[in-house]
């Protein structure tokens, strides 16, 4: 989790913003969990896809989109 957290921190507030995609699994889960707006684009670290939000970080093993998890900054 520390590697995921560090990688998200280093990608915070990308130039040009983050595209809105209401069908994206991460964005839907972030709305459900009230994590606020995204502060990173989606990115891969090891076997995980990750995206940072104002109130937390969402991640899942690539391809296992039914098991999205979150962690605090």
């Amino acid at each position: 989790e520390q590697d995921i957290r560090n990688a998200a921190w280093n990608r915070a507030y990308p130039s040009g913003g983050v595209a809105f995609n209401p069908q994206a699994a991460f964005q839907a889960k972030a709305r459900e969990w009230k994590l606020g707006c995204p502060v990173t684009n989606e990115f891969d670290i090891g076997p995980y896809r990750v995206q940072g939000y104002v109130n937390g970080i969402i991640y899942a093993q690539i391809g296992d989109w039914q098991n999205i998890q979150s962690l605090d900054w």
Side-chain angles (χ1 to χ4, degrees):
E1 289 184 347
Q2 189 62 33
D3 289 342
I4 290 171
R5 185 177 290 110
N6 288 340
W9 189 273
N10 291 330
R11 289 170 173 82
Y13 300 105
S15 175
V18 179
F20 177 65
N21 179 354
Q23 272 64 41
F26 281 3
Q27 291 185 16
K29 191 58 78 172
R31 284 192 307 278
E32 177 185 333
W33 290 343
K34 300 187 185 327
L35 295 180
C37 68
V39 297
T40 73
N41 286 302
E42 291 184 10
F43 63 91
D44 296 342
I45 177 170
Y48 298 100
R49 173 92 22 99
V50 180
Q51 188 169 28
Y53 289 81
V54 170
N55 295 316
I57 302 166
I58 286 181
Y59 67 99
Q61 281 199 318
I62 295 170
D64 187 12
W65 311 121
Q66 302 305 313
N67 292 307
I68 296 173
Q69 301 178 48
S70 69
L71 59 100
D72 293 331
W73 282 101

